[in-house]
Amino acid sequence: MFDLTDQVAVITGSSRGIGRAIAQQMARAGARVVVSSRKIDACTAVVDAIKAEGGDAVAVACNVSDRAQLVHLLDVAMNTWGRLDVLVCNAAVNPYFGPMATMPEEAYDKVMDCNVKSNYVLANAAAPLMAKQGGGSIIIVSSIGGNQGSATLGAYGISKAADFALARNLAVEWGPRGVRANCIAPGLIKTDFSRALWENPTLLAGVEKGTPLRRIGVPDDISGVAVFLASRAAAYLTGQTIVVDGGITVKEPA
């Protein structure tokens, strides 16, 4: 049910953190993987690690704010393996920490371009390729921030809520042609992206205490869910957001 043999997956932001874990676990499940991020050397290191385990992968440098580079990612998959089965939109940015009232408009545009528009562009380019071969799976890595207000991460949360809606609309538009679309909404995961939080002992202790599982997440807590969403096990699941946060958002407030 979870076998991805012969499937082809394109994963943005997959040179480190959650994206890298997804690339590695999908390769272990049998998928052939396009690893991408801005820095080709970092992508190549992931490809080398996948190949060392007997997997198949290629590295592609990609700035997700550049439409031509996004389309090129899909072209690489099609030119290399002749198909596209899975698209994982994982790349995201948060260049600003503070209230929206003082957020520069340029920072807002960057958040929305990277976290929403790039996913919109990629999904609309990938879905027809998947539909032509009978179906596929689009997975957007969002955040529990999309369900919450924040005095410091407001625009980031808005972008992640937009991803929820994007997945729902893709599910409605492309479901009749066999293409599924879902979101994963992680809580606090131990990655470079969240380093400022988990490296602070006081903040970390507070999060752990408020989380029913009493720990923050690690990238493989998310990668397993991505493998599930790509696999036959999730064949009847579309338009949904799966929250993976150790239970923090369901806990009664202190």
Side-chain angles (χ1 to χ4, degrees):
M1 291 288 283
F2 299 92
D3 183 18
L4 302 183
T5 298
D6 295 330
Q7 291 198 28
V8 174
V10 170
I11 307 165
T12 66
S14 47
S15 64
R16 58 182 182 169
I18 290 172
R20 176 172 183 152
I22 291 173
Q24 290 178 315
Q25 294 298 345
M26 285 192 173
R28 288 167 184 159
R32 294 164 288 187
V33 178
V34 177
V35 177
S36 69
S37 74
R38 288 173 179 264
K39 299 179 180 179
I40 189 63
D41 290 347
C43 296
T44 300
V46 179
V47 168
D48 290 344
I50 288 172
K51 289 184 174 180
E53 294 184 351
D56 197 1
V58 295
V60 181
C62 178
N63 176 352
V64 296
S65 295
D66 186 312
R67 178 183 289 268
Q69 292 186 39
L70 290 174
V71 174
H72 177 62
L73 276 181
L74 306 184
D75 288 342
V76 169
M78 297 299 295
N79 293 336
T80 305
W81 294 299
R83 60 185 298 116
L84 175 66
D85 302 277
V86 182
L87 170 65
V88 181
C89 299
N90 172 69
V93 299
N94 180 50
Y96 175 80
F97 187 83
M100 289 192 299
T102 55
M103 182 179 193
E105 188 172 332
E106 294 78 11
Y108 175 87
D109 289 342
K110 185 173 183 178
V111 168
M112 300 307 288
D113 281 350
C114 181
N115 298 4
V116 183
K117 186 177 179 180
S118 68
N119 298 342
Y120 165 84
V121 170
L122 263 179
N124 279 326
L129 301 175
M130 295 175 177
K132 196 174 294 186
Q133 68 196 24
S137 176
I138 297 170
I139 302 165
I140 301 173
V141 179
S142 184
S143 168
I144 61 171
N147 281 325
Q148 302 167 331
S150 172
T152 54
L153 296 170
Y156 179 79
I158 291 169
S159 73
K160 293 304 185 177
D163 284 334
F164 298 167
L166 176 59
R168 288 192 293 265
N169 283 281
L170 289 168
V172 171
E173 289 188 21
W174 291 97
R177 298 184 65 185
V179 178
R180 298 180 293 107
N182 294 285
C183 271
I184 304 173
L188 180 58
I189 306 296
K190 192 174 183 179
T191 65
D192 288 343
F193 194 82
S194 61
R195 181 177 294 275
L197 292 172
W198 56 262
E199 278 194 339
N200 183 313
T202 302
L203 290 176
L204 177 60
V207 173
E208 290 175 334
K209 184 178 180 181
T211 303
L213 291 182
R214 295 296 189 268
R215 67 174 178 87
I216 65 169
V218 296
D220 271 339
D221 290 324
I222 309 304
S223 63
V225 179
V227 170
F228 160 67
L229 289 173
S231 75
R232 188 164 57 91
Y236 200 53
L237 199 163
T238 194
Q240 304 304 309
T241 295
I242 299 178
V243 175
V244 189
D245 67 351
I248 194 168
T249 53
V250 300
K251 183 177 179 292
E252 183 180 15

